[in-house]
Structures are given as C-alpha cells and as structure tokens.
Amino acid sequence: MGAPFVIRIDHARVFDGERVLDDVSVLVDTGRVTAVTPTAQAAAGPAAATAAEVIDATGHTLLPGLIDGHTHVMGTLHNLRLALTFGVTTEVDLFSFPADLTGWLCDTAAHRDDLADLRSAGTVICATGGHPAATMPFLPSLDGPAAAGDQVRLRQKEGAHVVKMMLDDGCHHGAELPTLDSATAAAVADAARSAGLPSVAHVADVETVRTALDAGVDAVTHVPLEAPLPQEAVDRAVAEGRYFIPTLAMMEMSCGAPGGRDLAADERIAGHLPADALSALTGGTEGLCVTVPSPELDFANALETTRRLHASGVPLVAGTDANNAPGRACPVVHGAALHRELELLVTAGLSPVEALRAATATPARLFGLSDRGRIAPGLRADLVLVEGDATTDITATRAVRRVWRRGVSFDREAARAAWQSAAPPAPVAGSDPAGVATAVGGAELTAVGSTALAVAASRAAESGRPDRLFQDPVAVQVAVAAGGALAAWSGPRGELLRRAMGDYFALRTRFFDDWLHEAVTAGCRQVVVLAAGLDARAFRLDWPAPVRVFEIDRADVLTFKDKIITGRVPLSGSERIPVTCDLRDDWPGALRERGFDPGLPTAWLVEGIMVYLTEEEGDGLLARLGALSAPASRIAVEYGSRAMFRTDNTRTALDATAESDTLHTLAALWRNESTTDPLARLAAHGWTATTREPADLAAEHGRPTPPAFDPRQPGTARITLLSGRRHTSPGPG
Ligand code: SAM
C-alpha cells in the first residue's frame, strides 16, 4: 500500500509517458495518480482542499518514474536504492542468480518504497559451455532445442518476469565459445511466448542480431560495435514488431569512448553517488561487454544502428546494463547511468521526448508493466520531478528534485547522508601479475588465500548440478559478484587441476557436512573451522541445534569474504564468529577472546589446511587444538602431503604445463612433507579416528572416482579424510 495521503503537484510541465502537457496539476491519493488536470481547474476543484502536501512545480518537469530496461541487480538491495535516488523507480534485471535470492530481492523490492521496484529474468538461458556458463559452470545450459521448453518453464516457476537468452560466442572476451543456434533460440522464444513472458536476446554482433531476429525474440539487447546493423535487418525488425534495448551507456564504456565517465564531473550525479559507485564510475573496468578491445569496435557503429532503428520506427527501450555493486567496479552505475543513456539516445537522433518515452511508456509496454510508465489516473504514482525542461534539454533529468514511489516520497538527502557517513570507499578490484583478479572491493588475496577460490570455484560448479551434493551460496556469490576472481581456477589455467580432481572437492565438502551434522547432534555446540577460507557452512547447513561457528583464517581471506557475503548471504540458524589470525600465531588466544569456551565439547574442522603447513606447524596446530578440547570433542581432518606432487602422473603433468598453470601455484604452496601415517599422527595427539578415501565417497554418491586419487590407476596420489573423537582429557590450555 502506498502513502495514505493526498499530494498535489501544481504548475508542472508534465511528460505523461507519451505527450507533453503544460501547467498541469497532478493529484496523488494513496499511492495512485487520481487526476491530471490543468492547474487552474485543479485549484478550484474539491480535491484542492484535501491535499496534505501541495508542491509548486513551476520551472520543473514531472516525469513518470523512469524504467531501466536492462540492469543486473548483483544480489544487493543497495543497487535498488541507488537506482531510486536517480529517479529510476523500476529496474528490469536481465540475469540474476540464484533464483531464491532473486525471488527474495523482487519480493522485498515490491514492498519497500525506499527501493526501486524489480522485475527479473532470473537465470539466463545460454549454450552449454557458452557465455556466461564458461565462467559460471553451475548455470543450467542448453545444447539443442529439445530442453528449451523445460528451461523456460523452470524460469517461470522460479518467478521470472522475462526470459533472457545469450547469443554470444565470446568474441569480445577473447574466446571462441559455443552459442545458441537459431533453432534453439527459436525454441526458447516460442516457449517464452507460450508462457506469456517477453523474450530478450543478448547479442554480440551483426550475426547474432540476425540469429535473434530469426528466432523471433521480442527484444534484442545491445547493438553491434563492429559495423552498423544493415538496413535490411532493421526493416525486418520493424516489420516483425521487435524492440531494441541498445544499452548505449554500456557500449560506450566498453569501447573506451570518451563521455561516459564525465558523469562523475556533474555534481547533480556525483553528489548523490556513494563512494564505491563514484570510484567505479571514474576508474572501474569490471562487467563490461568488451574485455578485449579492438580498433574495429567503434562506438560510432552503435550510435548509427540506434539512429537507423529509430528512424525506421523500431521501438527503443532505455537500458544501461548497470552491474556495479559494492566490491564490483563496473563503471556503468545503477540509476546514474540511465541519465547518460537518455543523453546518448538523443545523440543517436531521438528527440528528448522520444528518449523519455524509451525510459517510460515503451519499456512498460514491452515488459507488460501496465500499471506504470505513464502519468494517468489509476496508475501507480511513481513520479520524478526534475528542475528545468527535460522535454527540450534531456540533461535536465539529472537535476532530480523529488522522487515518489507509489506516492511515497524518497528522501534522497537522507540516502546521501547515509552514504557519506559510511566506511571509506574500497579500491576497485585488482589483478595479479598473471591477469587474474584476486581482489574484490579492496580485499586483496595473498597467494595462499587465493586457494580458497579453488574450492569456491568447484563448490559453485557443484551448486548448479541437478544432482548436487549441496548448494553453496557463498561460492555462488563469489562467481556472480566477483566472477573474475575465480578465473584462475575455473578458466583454462585451472583445467588440468579440475580434470585431476574431478568431483573431489564436492565429495570432501559433503563428507564434512555430514560429519558436522553428526557432531552437533552428538552434543558439540561449538564448531571451529580452521583455515575457513570461503567456507559456507555457517550459512547453508541445516543445523540440528543452535551452534556457534568460529571461522579462523587470515585477514586477507576474511576481508574478501566479508565483501562477498555482506548484504547477500543470510546465516542459517548459526552464530558465525570470524577470528582473524594466522594459524602459526596465537590463534587459541584469539579464539578465547572471541568467546570460545574450552570447557565445552567442540567440533574441529581441519579441511584444506594440513597440506599448507610443515610437519612441525601441523603438529603445533594439533597440539594446541587438543589442549582446547573438552571430553566429547570431535575432529575431522583432510590429510594430504607434498607426496601428491611426486607421483609419476603429477610430475608428467607439471612438466607439460606452463608455469602459470594453477597446478604449479599449488605445488609451490604445499609444504607438508610428513610421512607419518595420518591415523598414528592423530592418535599421538589424543584422537581415535577412522579414515575414508575419496574412491569410497565417490562410490557412495554414485560419482566417478576423482582421477588424481583413483587407486586403480597407476601412479596416483593418496589423500585421506579422517574423523575422530577425543580419547584424552585436555592438557594445560
Ligand atoms: N577450509 C576451507 C575450505 O575447504 O573451503 C579453505 C581451504 S583453502 C584451500 C586454504 C585456506 O587456508 C585459505 O583460506 C588460506 O588463507 C588458509 N591458510 C593457509 N595458511 C594459513 C595460515 N598459516 N593461517 C591461517 N590460514 C591459513
């Protein structure tokens, strides 16, 4: 429900979504527009007396709330507040993941008038191994028309408002990837039509625009950069009633064309941007349509295509492809970028009124938003008041003075003050010398810290499988919000390791999940995850009883993790207590300081760490945790050593690969040279344990044996998973 009071806006120049009306009075009652009349008549009418707020809008233009027809919400409500600040009252997100998070964002945005409303395509439909599944292997994908209907029905069941498909062979990203062929794209578009959902195709070039038109999609998003779209394709789009969402603000930034970043010099924009968004706008390079620039890619071609489309009568929708977020430095920024998009549409030949239509009535029509996009009696009072005449000078839209969502006034000044008093901006994401992003939002990972990404990459992949052993929201968010960070492990450099490990990380994760469940059921109410990395158990396990989960890792990893989870990943009934400490320092002291009670039984999880410690450091760790272990405590350990790099298979693989391969990274970091039997080693530290081998776990879950640990193959390595109980009482603590 909107605000239960009446507002009257007098003397406005009104653009009602289609036409310009002069000196008009708009009456809003309980969230809806109830009258649009000449001001002189309104003043004399009965409603005049009931208005709780009367605004003299002389010298201003009143617009329908703006609709950005192409964004990515990036898992955070923050972006919807940013959008609303700039008068964007509805965003159409064209790819968000996972579905339950998207659903939550849409539901939340539907009810909160301090956020832009959200419509979403949910998960994008793409080719197997194509863009973006190549870097997000957990995404469902298609390798032919047969399953198109199922995919669209699944999207509909998940609550998608629009179907988005990718037609992109990765040419702008230095890759040659499979993409949906026209038969498959047509099957997706048909299924969307049957489901009553509009379909939008992401295109990369002239050829994929043709595929999109052949497929019969409702709308095409992006425009070619290598050449203008030939007139014959434009004519076809008109004849067949297609829409285009050119995303000029994104195409301009992607080409490195001057202009887009100038928004930062306009106080009307910059003055309302939080610091992270401002630094993304001035210096960010993430999330662009082109990551491998080429002289052939010319923004002038994008403008020319847009000009041709408009001149021929193809309806255009203003969309930005904004995909920044705190910690993700995309220079196309939610809310602000729409004002650049409007300006660029005018540069491409639209009049200011036509550009405004592209951000109001036209997207409302394309996306079936019949309650908005215009100012008319009965429609939502999503309104923007800007100073000046935006119907003749499009840049006047930047001078936002008031924003109402469902008749509720948004306090832009309070939002600005909140942003200004927040923590200082994080620097933009960085890259290691090999070109792999290892930093997000200023949290830069050390080499050993970045190994947490290897596990996250495979957990993200596992999370997308229909037969998954778990779903890991942290790993998925790393992939979605900071996908570049995973590149070393999920891209070609990690292929050898991925092949060798097979499903090992998933099997290991599930083994320890089940063990933790059992340990907590048996009475451990404290869990300590040593070298926690991007571990998501505090967020995703269905705990049998309330637990406190202590996560120990070094500052780089925990700061990185914080950037990923904040505002994106909710806890699952546990109390999570991060403990920043090196395991070679006084971590028991740090643990106690954070509330750990050595008198209570504890479940110790030692996963993915022993191999990074020397024998002496490993013994020190086991001795110290033993001293903190009350009777009935439990332990689970993954035990591997450098011997894994001495097998014939690994030696051959290392010799055959470049130094930049991630296998070499691991070889340089693994330090455990111990030859002691792991069971004996645990026994010496006071634990009675049993072991499981990866091959047994694989058989238990019907998965192939991880090739690196397949005892049937000659020259493979051994890694052991142990779980044990305390058999001695704690020593001096
Ligand atoms: N246990 C986590 C998992 O399975 O997802 C992370 C495993 S990751 C392969 C290794 C982790 O060990 C990284 O997060 C790294 O920061 C941490 N690590 C390595 N040496 C460490 C040390 N001396 N002190 C604290 N953490 C350390």
Side-chain angles (χ1 to χ4, degrees):
M1 277 295 280
F5 63 86
V6 178
I7 308 163
R8 212 182 76 212
I9 305 160
D10 286 346
H11 301 298
R13 187 170 174 79
V14 169
F15 168 69
D16 72 356
E18 297 291 351
R19 302 161 303 151
V20 181
L21 312 167
D22 262 324
D23 199 4
V24 159
S25 174
V26 173
L27 201 66
V28 172
D29 188 350
T30 320
R32 301 243 156 214
V33 171
T34 52
V36 181
T37 46
T39 302
Q41 287 174 20
T50 62
E53 188 183 7
V54 178
I55 295 150
D56 180 357
T58 307
H60 292 67
T61 314
L62 187 68
L63 308 169
L66 302 173
I67 301 172
D68 188 334
H70 184 158
T71 70
H72 299 280
V73 66
M74 303 310 298
T76 169
L77 297 175
H78 174 89
N79 279 335
L80 298 175
R81 188 165 306 115
L82 192 51
L84 195 61
T85 291
F86 289 99
V88 175
T89 50
T90 304
E91 283 205 352
V92 182
D93 166 281
L94 289 183
F95 171 29
S96 165
F97 188 87
D100 47 0
L101 176 63
T102 312
W104 177 79
L105 290 163
C106 288
D107 288 350
T108 307
H111 298 110
R112 275 181 47 181
D113 291 315
D114 60 340
L115 303 171
D117 200 10
L118 181 65
R119 293 290 184 277
S120 177
T123 307
V124 72
I125 295 185
C126 60
T128 304
H131 179 54
T135 50
M136 299 182 190
F138 49 86
L139 292 178
S141 54
L142 280 180
D143 44 21
D150 287 346
Q151 282 247 356
V152 170
R153 279 187 288 280
L154 188 59
R155 292 295 90 79
Q156 192 178 29
K157 206 164 137 225
E158 289 166 351
H161 304 96
V162 45
V163 170
K164 163 92 175 287
M165 71 185 89
M166 295 298 283
L167 303 178
D168 190 336
D169 65 3
C171 57
H172 298 329
H173 303 281
E176 268 182 57
L177 300 172
T179 187
L180 299 177
D181 57 23
S182 30
T184 310
V188 174
D190 282 351
R193 210 166 294 118
S194 307
L197 296 175
S199 59
V200 179
H202 158 117
V203 297
D205 53 15
V206 170
E207 196 185 322
T208 43
V209 174
R210 289 191 205 283
T211 310
L213 294 175
D214 290 346
V217 298
D218 293 310
V220 172
T221 187
H222 305 305
V223 278
L225 289 168
E226 81 285 7
L229 191 64
Q231 188 61 40
E232 123 288 307
V234 173
D235 292 342
R236 205 177 143 196
V238 189
E240 293 169 3
R242 308 303 171 212
Y243 289 62
F244 268 69
I245 313 170
T247 67
L248 293 171
M250 169 56 80
M251 306 326 283
E252 175 187 47
M253 284 286 187
S254 290
C255 284
R261 294 191 197 268
D262 293 351
L263 274 184
D266 187 334
E267 192 47 29
R268 296 172 296 180
I269 298 288
H272 287 271
L273 282 175
D276 65 284
L278 187 58
S279 76
L281 173 58
T282 52
T285 53
E286 287 182 272
L288 297 176
C289 269
V290 175
T291 51
V292 181
S294 133
E296 278 100 69
L297 303 180
D298 187 346
F299 180 55
N301 291 326
L303 285 173
E304 175 57 17
T305 296
T306 308
R307 191 195 64 72
R308 289 182 189 180
L309 290 165
H310 174 62
S312 303
V314 176
L316 297 179
V317 167
T320 59
D321 199 4
N323 65 84
N324 66 299
R328 179 176 167 91
C330 172
V332 184
V333 166
H334 283 262
L338 191 70
H339 297 275
R340 179 64 180 163
E341 185 70 23
L342 289 170
E343 189 182 13
L344 289 169
L345 287 170
V346 170
T347 308
L350 281 71
S351 69
V353 165
E354 289 165 339
L356 290 170
R357 209 174 278 145
T360 53
T362 310
R365 210 165 56 237
L366 169 62
F367 294 113
L369 300 165
S370 55
D371 61 350
R372 67 194 75 181
R374 289 175 298 124
I375 301 177
L379 298 191
R380 278 166 70 105
D382 289 355
L383 301 167
V384 191
L385 187 67
V386 301
E387 191 172 335
D389 183 2
T391 64
T392 55
D393 168 16
I394 196 65
T395 62
T397 61
R398 300 176 183 192
V400 175
R401 293 295 170 257
R402 298 286 298 267
V403 181
W404 292 268
R405 199 192 106 140
R406 294 194 302 182
V408 178
S409 179
F410 176 64
D411 191 340
R412 300 179 83 221
E413 288 311 316
R416 178 187 359 216
W419 280 324
Q420 280 171 350
S421 63
V428 298
S431 295
D432 73 12
V436 177
T438 52
V440 63
E444 190 151 346
L445 290 176
T446 56
V448 75
S450 76
T451 63
L453 294 170
V455 194
S458 52
R459 287 182 181 146
E462 178 70 20
S463 301
R465 288 178 63 137
D467 61 343
R468 57 185 165 257
L469 301 176
F470 52 83
Q471 178 148 43
D472 184 324
V474 176
V476 164
Q477 280 307 322
V478 177
V480 172
L486 293 186
W489 309 96
S490 61
R493 284 173 56 194
E495 197 185 331
L496 200 60
L497 181 73
R498 263 200 319 279
R499 261 194 279 133
M501 290 301 201
D503 290 350
Y504 171 68
F505 288 120
L507 292 165
R508 167 182 114 180
T509 303
R510 178 57 188 269
F511 172 75
F512 289 132
D513 284 0
D514 293 344
W515 169 82
L516 271 169
H517 198 273
E518 200 185 305
V520 173
T521 305
C524 296
R525 295 290 185 269
Q526 283 182 143
V527 172
V528 180
V529 187
L530 293 138
L534 298 166
D535 186 282
R537 290 182 174 95
F539 305 90
R540 67 180 173 79
L541 285 193
D542 187 10
W543 298 99
V547 284
R548 310 183 80 200
V549 181
F550 295 89
E551 292 186 357
I552 308 182
D553 210 307
R554 298 173 356 156
D556 59 319
V557 172
L558 290 178
T559 311
F560 180 96
K561 186 170 186 173
D562 206 47
K563 300 277 175 203
I564 295 294
I565 59 176
T566 302
R568 294 194 179 102
V569 190
L571 286 167
S572 72
S574 68
E575 186 188 351
R576 172 178 176 263
I577 305 160
V579 181
T580 304
C581 199
D582 193 294
L583 290 170
R584 293 164 298 188
D585 297 337
D586 179 22
W587 60 265
L591 201 54
R592 282 169 187 264
E593 240 170 59
R594 302 285 278 134
F596 174 86
D597 182 351
L600 298 176
T602 300
W604 299 95
L605 178 56
V606 190
E607 180 184 19
I609 177 64
M610 286 305 273
V611 78
Y612 296 94
L613 303 177
T614 61
E615 181 160 14
E616 198 186 345
E617 288 166 354
D619 277 328
L621 180 87
L622 291 172
R624 290 203 272 180
L625 73 81
L628 294 172
S629 296
S633 291
R634 298 185 176 216
I635 192 168
V637 182
E638 183 209 39
Y639 196 90
S641 77
R642 267 197 69 75
M644 287 170 60
F645 281 105
R646 289 202 203 94
T647 66
D648 293 345
N649 289 352
T650 324
R651 279 203 179 116
T652 315
L654 278 174
D655 288 348
T657 54
E659 286 287 317
S660 62
D661 194 276
T662 49
L663 208 56
H664 285 272
T665 311
L666 285 184
L669 292 170
W670 286 9
R671 297 161 73 227
N672 179 19
E673 295 279 7
S674 169
T675 51
T676 315
D677 172 66
L679 272 178
R681 199 165 173 204
L682 275 195
H685 284 283
W687 302 96
T688 306
T690 54
T691 62
R692 290 300 299 274
E693 302 293 325
D696 303 338
L697 295 174
E700 182 184 323
H701 292 290
R703 295 287 178 94
T705 302
F709 311 119
D710 187 344
R712 294 164 305 185
Q713 306 297 327
T716 54
R718 228 183 132 207
I719 200 156
T720 306
L721 304 178
L722 302 105
S723 55
R725 297 180 188 195
R726 195 80 187 131
H727 69 224
T728 58
S729 44

